[in-house]
Amino acid sequence: MKTSDFYFDLPEELIAQTPLERRDASRLMVLDKETGATEDMHFYDLPKLLRPGDCLVLNDSRVLPARLLGHREPGGGAVEVLLLIDRGNKTWECLVRPGRKCKPGTRLSFGDGLLRGEVLSVEEGGNRLIRFEYEGIFLELLEQLGRMPLPPYIKAELNDPERYQTVYSREVGSAAAPTAGLHFTKELLEQVQAMGVSLAYVTLHVGLGTFRPVKEEDVLDHEMHSEYCMISAQTAETINRTKRAGGRVICVGTTSCRTIESWAAEDGTLKESAGWTNIFIYPGYRFKVLDALITNFHLPESTLVMLVSALAGREHILNAYQQAVERKYRFFSFGDAMFIH
C-alpha cells in the first residue's frame, strides 16, 4: 500500500480560511460506506440521520493558546514558541523559530517579561525543552499572552478564538482543534439528546503530528505520533450499553475514533482507560467499536485520509472527495463535514 494511493488534487481556493458565521450551516456530505453513494445535506440536517438509541462520541479536549511571540534576551531578535507537551516542573517540549538562534542557555521573554524561559536542550527532531519562569497560574498567562496555533494552511487571522474551540470543549491540552466537532451548536446537541441519542465524551489531546505529511512511500513504514487520551467509566458504560442494545456508536472526528479503538477489547467492549496512543488506522483495519463517523475533509496522502479509507474503502473515499471538489465543498479545519455510515 503506497502513500501515493491516497493522493487527490485539491484546488487551493477550496481550503477554508475562516469559519462560517453559523457553525451548523456548513454542508454535510453523506457517504454510504457499503455502496459509495453520496448525498448533499447541511449539518443542521444531522438529526435526520440519527436514530433513538444511537450514541455520539465527542472529544472534549480544548485547544491551548499555545503560540507565544516574544524575543531573545538581552535585546535579541523575535522568537516564536509553540508549546507541544507539558514535561512537568514548568518545563515544556516546544517547537521554536528560528531554531538555530535558540541553543541551550538562550533566554526568552514574552509579554514584557510577564513570562520568561530558558532553553534547556535540543531534543531529537529539533524540538526544544524550555523551562518557564512566571508568577501566578500558567494557563491564565497563556490566555493573556498566547495565540491560537492555527494549522499551517490557514493564512487568515482568527477574529474570535472561540471559533477554533468546540462548544463542549473542557479539558485544556490540544495543539489543534478536533475539528469535526466545530459544526455543533449547543442547540443541536440538545436536539439530538431530546430524540434519544446519547452523548459520550472522551478526551484526546491533539498533537501537531496530525498535520505532518507521510513521507514514506510505503504506508507501513510510517511512524505514527503519540497523543494522550482518556475514557471515563461513565463513557465506557454508555458506549457498551449502546452496543448491547443494538444502537450505533458514531464518533465525531477521527480523534474520538482513535481513542475508543485504542482502548477497545477484542469483543468491542470498553472500560475506564487513560494513556498514550499511537494507533494507526489504514485499510485492512477491523473496527471494534465504531459504526459510523462524522469527520471533515482531510489532507491528501494524510493518515486521516487513510483512516476514513479504512472505514469506507479507498475507492469510495477518493470518489467522494472528487465529488466534493466538483461541488465546491470547503476543505480542512474550517471546512464542511462528511457523515460516513
Side-chain angles (χ1 to χ4, degrees):
M1 198 180 339
K2 294 183 177 179
T3 301
S4 55
D5 292 337
F6 298 89
Y7 177 80
F8 62 92
D9 191 37
L10 179 68
E12 193 172 335
E13 64 267 20
L14 295 185
I15 300 173
Q17 292 295 314
T18 53
L20 296 179
E21 187 175 340
R22 179 179 158 190
R23 286 178 183 262
D24 62 358
S26 53
R27 295 167 72 189
L28 179 67
M29 177 181 280
V30 183
L31 172 64
D32 186 315
K33 64 186 179 186
E34 304 299 333
T35 68
T38 63
E39 183 181 357
D40 296 322
M41 301 177 76
H42 285 88
F43 204 84
Y44 52 69
D45 294 317
L46 182 65
K48 298 176 185 176
L49 300 167
L50 304 178
R51 310 171 198 145
D54 285 344
C55 174
L56 286 180
V57 183
L58 306 117
N59 181 7
D60 64 4
S61 182
R62 187 168 173 81
V63 185
L64 200 65
R67 188 168 159 244
L68 291 164
L69 303 179
H71 63 270
R72 302 188 302 281
E73 290 188 315
V79 67
E80 180 177 338
V81 170
L82 193 60
L83 305 175
L84 297 178
I85 301 171
D86 183 356
R87 296 299 188 191
N89 193 30
K90 297 186 176 181
T91 301
W92 284 74
E93 185 173 335
C94 305
L95 200 61
V96 177
R97 289 193 298 189
R100 66 184 186 282
K101 296 289 183 71
C102 292
K103 297 179 172 63
T106 303
R107 301 279 304 170
L108 308 173
S109 175
F110 309 91
D112 294 327
L114 280 176
L115 179 65
R116 286 190 161 91
E118 180 181 348
V119 178
L120 300 181
S121 62
V122 179
E123 301 296 285
E124 188 178 345
N127 293 344
R128 268 52 174 180
L129 277 188
I130 298 177
R131 184 166 56 227
F132 290 97
E133 303 158 15
Y134 53 88
E135 293 183 5
I137 299 170
F138 189 60
L139 287 180
E140 289 183 0
L141 269 177
L142 282 186
E143 291 290 344
Q144 181 182 345
L145 302 177
R147 299 187 183 188
M148 279 296 156
L150 292 177
Y153 48 75
I154 293 179
K155 312 300 181 190
E157 283 294 320
L158 184 61
N159 294 327
D160 177 10
E162 279 302 307
R163 288 310 308 272
Y164 196 56
Q165 306 278 14
T166 63
V167 296
Y168 49 80
S169 63
R170 286 184 295 219
E171 304 292 335
V172 177
S174 276
T179 53
L182 296 178
H183 306 282
F184 281 94
T185 62
K186 289 180 178 176
E187 293 76 19
L188 185 57
L189 289 171
E190 289 167 1
Q191 185 182 350
V192 299
Q193 276 187 291
M195 61 180 282
V197 174
S198 301
L199 302 182
Y201 293 95
V202 298
T203 303
L204 180 141
H205 292 317
V206 187
L208 284 183
T210 193
F211 301 119
R212 287 200 182 114
V214 178
K215 294 179 179 176
E216 292 76 12
E217 181 53 24
D218 188 328
V219 167
L220 302 185
D221 290 338
H222 176 67
E223 187 175 337
M224 201 66 178
H225 58 286
S226 292
E227 294 165 314
Y228 191 79
C229 60
M230 297 175 281
I231 299 174
S232 68
Q234 179 183 353
T235 287
E237 175 50 33
T238 299
I239 293 173
N240 292 340
R241 188 171 62 243
T242 299
K243 297 294 276 189
R244 286 197 302 268
R248 295 178 300 173
V249 173
I250 302 166
C251 286
V252 176
T254 56
T255 58
S256 300
C257 164
R258 293 178 67 243
T259 301
I260 64 171
E261 291 293 324
S262 292
W263 300 110
E266 280 304 312
D267 64 358
T269 57
L270 290 165
K271 60 183 181 180
E272 184 176 9
S273 307
W276 294 85
T277 181
N278 64 349
I279 188 172
F280 184 12
I281 298 175
Y282 51 84
Y285 179 84
R286 182 182 65 83
F287 288 89
K288 304 185 191 79
V289 190
L290 174 141
D291 297 299
L293 178 68
I294 296 169
T295 186
N296 280 18
F297 291 89
H298 304 295
L299 288 158
E301 299 183 329
S302 64
T303 59
L304 303 182
V305 163
M306 295 171 193
L307 185 153
V308 294
S309 296
L311 180 61
R314 185 181 72 91
E315 293 80 8
H316 288 167
I317 288 295
L318 292 181
N319 183 52
Y321 272 50
Q322 181 58 41
Q323 292 179 46
V325 169
E326 291 168 0
R327 298 173 198 169
K328 300 285 192 268
Y329 272 72
R330 302 166 80 243
F331 275 69
F332 306 159
S333 294
F334 286 138
D336 295 315
M338 177 183 274
F339 182 77
I340 305 172
H341 69 119

